[in-house]
Amino acid sequence: MPDWAPSFTLNELYEISDAVMPVLRDYLEDGDPEQHELRYGSVSTLLEIVRKLNLSFSKHSGVTPGNELPPWFPELEQQVHQFRERALEMARQGAMPECYAWDYWETKALVAGVSAEQAELGRAVMREHYQHGWSSYDDEVSVRSGDEMLRLALSEPARSAARWQWLLDTDGGKHVAQAA
């Protein structure tokens, strides 16, 4: 740790905050915050930056001790804590031998609340898509469409299960007569 402490004006702190908050919100609302956290620790790091910025704002503006953090901060902190826990769980799962994208998807689906049976089915169809080269289903059941698969499994579990089972039974539509 250096023996000097950086010093920022209040305007500079606001500029830093204006740059950090949208990135943190994007990580939490879009994309894959667990992966950002797992790979880079970025969500936790950004939260810590927000905490320190708010403490600096309070110090500059004379806020009484105990009121340094805004009322929305505890909720944001809890959300980041949940993502961090999921990322750590995924890291433990990922440390298992032969962990593939479909294994990661299954773990993520279970954490999100998908039933074990549905998560296993989604894992299987994603694996078969890759193993058997079902390129015509890239937008539906590929590694790249994992987030959409997760949304479908949560919003329409019966429909997604029926579709995924059909894809497995017909080897991606190659053997439709056999499945009938």
Side-chain angles (χ1 to χ4, degrees), residues 34-45:
E34 293 94 350
Q35 278 301 309
H36 284 288
E37 185 65 21
L38 181 60
R39 289 184 186 153
Y40 314 112
S42 53
V43 177
S44 295
T45 301

Side-chain angles (χ1 to χ4, degrees), residues 24 36 79 102 156:
L24 180 57
H36 284 288
Q79 190 178 9
W102 40 86
E156 299 181 59

Side-chain angles (χ1 to χ4, degrees), residues 53-73:
L53 285 171
N54 275 286
L55 293 174
S56 293
F57 290 150
S58 298
K59 184 178 178 181
H60 275 82
S61 27
V63 172
T64 57
N67 295 322
E68 295 96 344
L69 297 173
W72 48 263
F73 190 84

Side-chain angles (χ1 to χ4, degrees), residues 40-98:
Y40 314 112
S42 53
V43 177
S44 295
T45 301
L46 289 173
L47 180 71
E48 189 57 27
I49 291 169
V50 170
R51 175 192 306 280
K52 288 180 179 179
L53 285 171
N54 275 286
L55 293 174
S56 293
F57 290 150
S58 298
K59 184 178 178 181
H60 275 82
S61 27
V63 172
T64 57
N67 295 322
E68 295 96 344
L69 297 173
W72 48 263
F73 190 84
E75 184 179 336
L76 179 64
E77 188 173 40
Q78 179 60 31
Q79 190 178 9
V80 169
H81 177 73
Q82 289 170 349
F83 284 129
R84 180 138 182 87
E85 288 300 312
R86 288 183 209 160
L88 292 172
E89 178 58 30
M90 283 185 237
R92 287 189 286 275
Q93 293 289 327
M96 297 179 353
E98 297 190 29

Side-chain angles (χ1 to χ4, degrees), residues 10-150:
L10 192 55
N11 284 339
E12 289 170 326
L13 291 174
Y14 281 117
E15 288 173 8
I16 294 168
S17 179
D18 286 347
V20 169
M21 281 306 293
V23 175
L24 180 57
R25 290 195 196 284
D26 284 348
Y27 279 161
L28 296 176
E29 294 170 5
D30 301 321
D32 196 341
E34 293 94 350
Q35 278 301 309
H36 284 288
E37 185 65 21
L38 181 60
R39 289 184 186 153
Y40 314 112
S42 53
V43 177
S44 295
T45 301
L46 289 173
L47 180 71
E48 189 57 27
I49 291 169
V50 170
R51 175 192 306 280
K52 288 180 179 179
L53 285 171
N54 275 286
L55 293 174
S56 293
F57 290 150
S58 298
K59 184 178 178 181
H60 275 82
S61 27
V63 172
T64 57
N67 295 322
E68 295 96 344
L69 297 173
W72 48 263
F73 190 84
E75 184 179 336
L76 179 64
E77 188 173 40
Q78 179 60 31
Q79 190 178 9
V80 169
H81 177 73
Q82 289 170 349
F83 284 129
R84 180 138 182 87
E85 288 300 312
R86 288 183 209 160
L88 292 172
E89 178 58 30
M90 283 185 237
R92 287 189 286 275
Q93 293 289 327
M96 297 179 353
E98 297 190 29
C99 189
Y100 297 99
W102 40 86
D103 297 322
Y104 165 73
W105 184 89
E106 181 180 24
T107 301
K108 185 175 177 179
L110 291 168
V111 168
V114 173
S115 73
E117 185 178 306
Q118 180 87 350
E120 186 177 333
L121 185 60
R123 178 200 175 279
V125 77
M126 186 182 282
R127 179 183 178 278
E128 292 304 297
H129 168 273
Y130 176 80
Q131 297 282 331
H132 295 213
W134 301 345
S135 59
S136 57
Y137 298 100
D138 284 352
D139 292 339
E140 193 175 344
V141 292
S142 70
V143 171
R144 289 188 314 271
S145 61
D147 287 342
E148 184 55 37
M149 287 177 65
L150 183 56

